[in-house]
Amino acid sequence: MRAPGWGGTSRVKVNDMTRPLIALSSCLHGDPVRYDGADKRDAWLLEELGRFVDYRPICPEVGIGLGVPRAPIRLVAENGGTRVRGVADPSLDVTEQLRRYALEVLPQLAEACGYVFKARSPSCGLFGVPRYDREGRLSDTSSGAFAAVIASRLPVLPLEEEGRLANPVLREHFVARVFALRRWRELLAEGPDAARLIAFHARHKYQLMAHSPLACSRLGQLLSDLSGDDLAQRLAAYGQDFLATLAQPASRAAQVNVLQHLAGYLKRVLERPARAELAQAIERYRTGVDPLLVPIQLLMHHVAQHAIEALAEQSYLNPYPAALDLRRGI
Ligand code: SF4
């Protein structure tokens, strides 16, 4: 069966850029495509994040022609590999169809800035999907057959499961990566020159630093001399490293380091009481008393009040639409 296209998505702007496209398991979108005809509609994805992104629902089991309702399938460990077989009828083996369908869908993910999979599904699950031995005993866990191909072919695409997105830290990280990838795509679409690439890096400096100070300076080095005729190669290398760096988690200590850098930048314009208040807000975040939102809001207030242009555009302060309010929980 042919993989469906992206057609019909509204591409209006959010935060002055085109809304990111996110692929997701159709059942999370509320489509009644589960083996039993039910759905697994995810309210946060649709009602909160959905205000700022467009979704492309994909159901691989329907895509390969299994009907709704259908007999359930599961992962089976076999000969050192994994097959996807019918639970009631193990002669049903849809492993290769699911893998082929993933390859068929790949070109349509070229514009996607993320993918949210349904957890524990033998097709869509990314992590910890139950795998059984041939006698039907639970053996271990693996990835769903469709999701495994997507993950291996698109290593820098932000991928998550809806269950993990209930964790505020993972949720914030995923959304920040989605919007960073959208900004990168916008740059590529503009036809980047050396000046634009340098401005892009400057805008993301503190966001990168929160994930890896080392990678942040490595990426800066990569752009130190763009006068040669290898801009296209440098651009490709930068993009790979940029996205891989943002895929690393940002620890609380690394966030504190960035907050202190930003506070240091503001030192010359702040009076002593304002500096002390900011230092205290950072300390309260460091010790887990207040969420990250508190020092960030204070920083943003000072940046706006003193019209610090160099910081006003920093993606670290404004990584995604503020209305998502994701830093209140981390
Ligand atoms: S988990 Fe994946 S295969 Fe299963 S119903 Fe949802 S979208 Fe379809």
Side-chain angles (χ1 to χ4, degrees), residues 267-289:
K267 218 171 178 175
R268 61 192 166 80
V269 297
L270 297 184
E271 301 290 342
R272 186 187 290 265
R275 290 205 302 268
E277 183 191 32
L278 185 53
Q280 192 186 34
I282 295 172
E283 180 61 10
R284 284 172 68 84
Y285 163 69
R286 188 188 71 79
T287 53
V289 176

Side-chain angles (χ1 to χ4, degrees), residues 3-229:
W6 287 100
T9 47
S10 61
R11 307 308 307 279
V12 293
K13 299 225 165 189
V14 59
N15 269 23
D16 205 27
M17 65 179 178
T18 305
R19 290 161 66 98
L21 280 169
I22 297 182
L24 88 167
S25 297
S26 298
C27 51
L28 298 175
H29 189 250
D31 303 342
V33 291
R34 302 255 302 164
Y35 71 95
D36 57 1
D39 67 75
K40 283 284 178 181
R41 186 179 188 281
D42 188 289
W44 181 79
L45 285 171
L46 296 189
E47 287 155 28
E48 293 299 321
L49 187 57
R51 292 185 289 154
F52 306 104
V53 304
D54 293 326
Y55 286 120
R56 170 65 177 95
I58 297 173
C59 177
E61 292 178 23
V62 168
I64 64 170
L66 300 178
V68 180
R70 57 186 172 272
I73 53 181
R74 66 182 175 191
L75 299 185
V76 179
E78 263 179 52
N79 307 323
T82 302
R83 308 301 297 176
V84 188
R85 292 188 178 276
V87 175
D89 174 14
S91 70
L92 173 70
D93 181 341
V94 291
T95 318
E96 297 313 323
Q97 288 105 300
L98 287 168
R99 289 175 181 161
R100 270 201 305 275
Y101 188 71
L103 295 175
E104 204 176 320
V105 162
L106 274 181
Q108 298 174 32
L109 300 180
E111 280 299 306
C113 294
Y115 202 137
V116 182
F117 292 100
K118 175 74 192 78
R120 296 179 67 80
S121 155
S123 305
C124 290
L126 260 185
F127 314 106
V129 181
R131 191 165 70 151
Y132 298 83
D133 64 20
R134 296 195 80 162
E135 280 68 52
R137 292 179 299 240
L138 184 61
S139 132
D140 55 7
T141 61
S142 187
S143 300
F146 173 83
V149 174
I150 301 288
S152 70
R153 293 303 185 107
L154 300 173
V156 293
L157 184 69
L159 309 177
E160 261 305 350
E161 293 181 332
E162 93 291 356
R164 284 165 49 92
L165 289 178
N167 176 315
V169 174
L170 298 180
R171 175 181 287 188
E172 198 275 342
H173 187 198
F174 174 74
V175 174
R177 289 178 65 202
V178 164
F179 278 84
L181 178 51
R182 186 60 239 165
R183 289 191 294 276
W184 175 247
R185 293 246 165 88
E186 299 262 304
L187 178 78
L188 295 182
E190 281 171 5
D193 53 21
R196 281 194 183 128
L197 186 52
I198 288 166
F200 181 90
H201 180 69
R203 183 181 177 194
H204 290 85
K205 177 180 160 188
Y206 291 102
Q207 189 177 7
L208 286 164
M209 198 189 277
H211 293 271
S212 168
L214 203 64
C216 181
S217 60
R218 184 175 65 234
L219 284 159
Q221 274 298 114
L222 192 62
L223 307 186
S224 60
D225 179 9
L226 295 176
S227 59
D229 55 7

